[in-house]
Amino acid sequence: MIGMRSIAVLFVIAWFVFAFFDLNFDRDVFRAYTASEVVDYDPDEGQPRLLPRAVMEYRVQQGGVVGRIGDSVSEYEDCTVFDRDNWSCKHSDESGTFGARQGEFFSRSNLDKFPHLDYLDEEETLSRFRYIMLQCRWDATGGIDAIFCLLRPFTT
């Protein structure tokens, strides 16, 4: 019979496996984990410097890329696609370029044409593990909300 200690060990192993690896079995979907600087960041408040943003999913196809953030879906046609981990697209208004290079997400704003987008350069791309740990740090600032950290790898 499996004891409580064995169950706890199995849970910890599963937590780390799901936190480190994006167990997405859809080979055409690329996920990007990003965070942005906290507005009016005060290190004395004990909050992290970065705020996790919504996970962006991109379905990479030969004809273009379909992006999804939450319930919002956008189709991008001005794209160069090599494979799921190497592609780039331009926004239709030419405000910037985004994509993946060797599995790392990138995003660049066209500051010559849209200088007001300068604030977007403060966005950082994170690994899945770092993104989940950042979510857990924010959970911990909410007291009892820290319990949500136990579920983060399974729900993100």
Side-chain angles (χ1 to χ4, degrees), residues 76-132:
Y76 304 98
E77 295 178 1
D78 191 3
C79 301
T80 302
V81 176
F82 296 103
D83 58 32
R84 183 188 73 133
D85 293 330
N86 296 285
W87 55 274
S88 67
C89 295
K90 292 180 185 175
H91 291 285
S92 59
D93 63 358
E94 298 179 7
S95 61
T97 305
F98 64 96
R101 187 176 305 116
Q102 296 180 353
E104 295 290 324
F105 183 76
F106 70 88
S107 178
R108 289 187 301 270
S109 298
N110 182 351
L111 299 178
D112 293 334
K113 190 171 184 178
F114 298 90
H116 63 281
L117 296 177
D118 186 38
Y119 74 95
L120 292 176
D121 287 339
E122 298 170 3
E123 185 175 285
E124 287 187 35
T125 301
L126 306 174
S127 67
R128 176 176 170 79
F129 181 74
R130 207 168 143 216
Y131 182 84
I132 288 172

Side-chain angles (χ1 to χ4, degrees), residues 29-46:
V29 173
F30 178 89
R31 288 192 180 129
Y33 303 92
T34 59
S36 58
E37 294 273 339
V38 172
V39 177
D40 299 327
Y41 171 67
D42 182 4
D44 296 331
E45 289 185 23

